[in-house]
Amino acid sequence: MDEIEVPAQPDAFPFVPGKTALVVIDMQRDFIEPGGFGAALGNDVSRLQPAIEPVAKLLALFRAKGWPIVHTRESHLSDLSDCPPAKRKGKPGLRIGDIGKMGRILVRGQPGNAIVERCAPMKGEIEIDKPGKGAFYATALGTILDRKGITHLVFAGVTTEVCVQTSMREANDRGYVCLVVEEATESYFPEYKSAALSMIRAQGGIVGRTANLADLEKALA
Ligand code: C5J
C-alpha cells in the first residue's frame, strides 16, 4: 500500500500502512487514578486524564484499519526480583510492591496495574509488561515488531518525558521511524510535556516527530 504523509514537526511523517504500529505506553490506573504509583510519588494524577479520550480515538482509528496495536504496562513481578533497589525508593508504604488503595503498587496483575477501561486492550492486540521505563528493555517487543515487519511507530500514552520519551528513544536507536501524537500523551508537569515534545522535534527531529491528532485523523481518513 502507498505511503501516507502525515503533517508533523519538524517534517512530515511517512506513514506506511502494513509497516506501522501504534504503541500506547502505560495508560494504567497506577499512573492515572488516585491511590497508585503516580500518586505515591506525590503527583496530581488528574493531569494525565486529558490523554484518555485522544488515546481512545487513536485506538479506534487503528482498530478500524486493522493495524497493529501494542499496549505496555510498567509492572514488576510479585517477588520484585525485576525491580532494582535503585528503583524501589520512597517512604515505606508508598514504594513499589507496597499495598496501596488499588492493591500492590506497580505489581503485575494487581487492580492498579490494569490499563484504564477506556483504553483497555482488545483480543489480538499485543500486551507488553515492562519492568523499566523503556518498552524495549527486558521485553520481547523488538522481536515481536521485527516478526511483523514493522518499521514505523506511532507513540501515545503517559508520561511524555518518562516512559513515552524513553521508549521512543529506544525505538529510534533500533532504527524505527517514530511519531508521537501530542494530545494523546500527558505529563504530571505541563512544562515537561512541552519540553519533551520540543526535544523530540529539535535538531531536525533527533529522535522522531510530533503531530496533532486531527492532522493524523485527516491524513488517514
Ligand atoms: C513513570 C511512566 N513516570 N509510565 N512511568 O514512572 O512514565
Side-chain angles (χ1 to χ4, degrees), residues 28-163:
Q28 296 164 247
R29 300 182 67 204
D30 256 327
F31 293 106
I32 298 175
E33 294 183 11
F37 184 55
L41 295 175
N43 296 304
D44 173 2
V45 295
S46 70
R47 289 194 182 271
L48 302 191
Q49 285 161 16
I52 295 176
E53 281 312 309
V55 169
K57 279 189 183 169
L58 268 179
L59 287 167
L61 189 62
F62 273 69
R63 281 170 185 155
K65 302 273 187 193
W67 293 333
I69 296 174
V70 177
H71 303 261
T72 71
R73 280 180 295 260
E74 186 174 345
S75 66
H76 292 280
L77 298 169
S78 64
D79 65 4
L80 304 185
S81 56
D82 59 354
C83 182
K87 189 174 178 187
R88 191 167 185 253
K89 50 194 181 331
K91 289 194 189 125
L94 293 175
R95 296 170 308 184
I96 294 171
D98 292 347
I99 296 173
K101 290 191 181 120
M102 295 188 285
R104 290 182 68 206
I105 295 171
L106 224 58
V107 170
R108 213 167 283 184
Q110 296 289 307
N113 210 236
I115 291 172
V116 294
E117 213 175 305
R118 188 85 182 96
C119 305
M122 288 179 70
K123 197 164 174 260
E125 295 173 356
I126 301 155
E127 297 180 46
I128 299 286
D129 284 296
K130 61 183 183 61
K133 304 303 182 199
F136 290 84
Y137 168 68
T139 73
L141 181 59
T143 309
I144 293 169
L145 296 176
D146 278 357
R147 274 203 208 116
K148 289 186 172 292
I150 300 296
T151 53
H152 290 54
L153 298 175
V154 175
F155 281 93
V158 297
T159 63
T160 318
E161 78 282 10
V162 185
C163 290

